[in-house]
Amino acid sequence: MKPINDGHVAEPGLAVVEVAAADDETAFAVQELLATRWAIAPADRTTHEPGEPGVRLRCYLDMQQQPEA
């Protein structure tokens, strides 16, 4: 995964969330759970690092905004 950009965490309430899960379905379920509470910039795919178990997903959270309806 690319390094986290300073702009993604430039102020209180912004967060980068990295999910490690056994499979895509689980990773996207966690992302959906986060989206029910906060505004997020969702990931559209997971990544898999050779030699590491499972998949990873990174999404960006803005805890100051409500999720879109």
Side-chain angles (χ1 to χ4, degrees), residues 1-4 16-19 31 41 43 56-60:
M1 288 191 157
K2 294 181 180 179
I4 296 170
V16 178
V17 177
E18 292 186 349
V19 176
Q31 178 175 260
R56 298 195 185 280
L57 173 144
R58 180 184 288 175
C59 61
Y60 303 90

Side-chain angles (χ1 to χ4, degrees), residues 20-63:
D23 56 27
D24 289 356
E25 183 178 300
T26 303
F28 286 117
V30 171
Q31 178 175 260
E32 285 299 315
L33 182 64
L34 293 169
T36 64
R37 178 139 186 194
W38 297 293
I40 68 167
D44 58 356
R45 64 182 178 86
T46 61
T47 59
H48 172 74
E49 295 293 329
E52 292 187 15
V55 298
R56 298 195 185 280
L57 173 144
R58 180 184 288 175
C59 61
Y60 303 90
L61 230 72
D62 185 342
M63 296 170 54

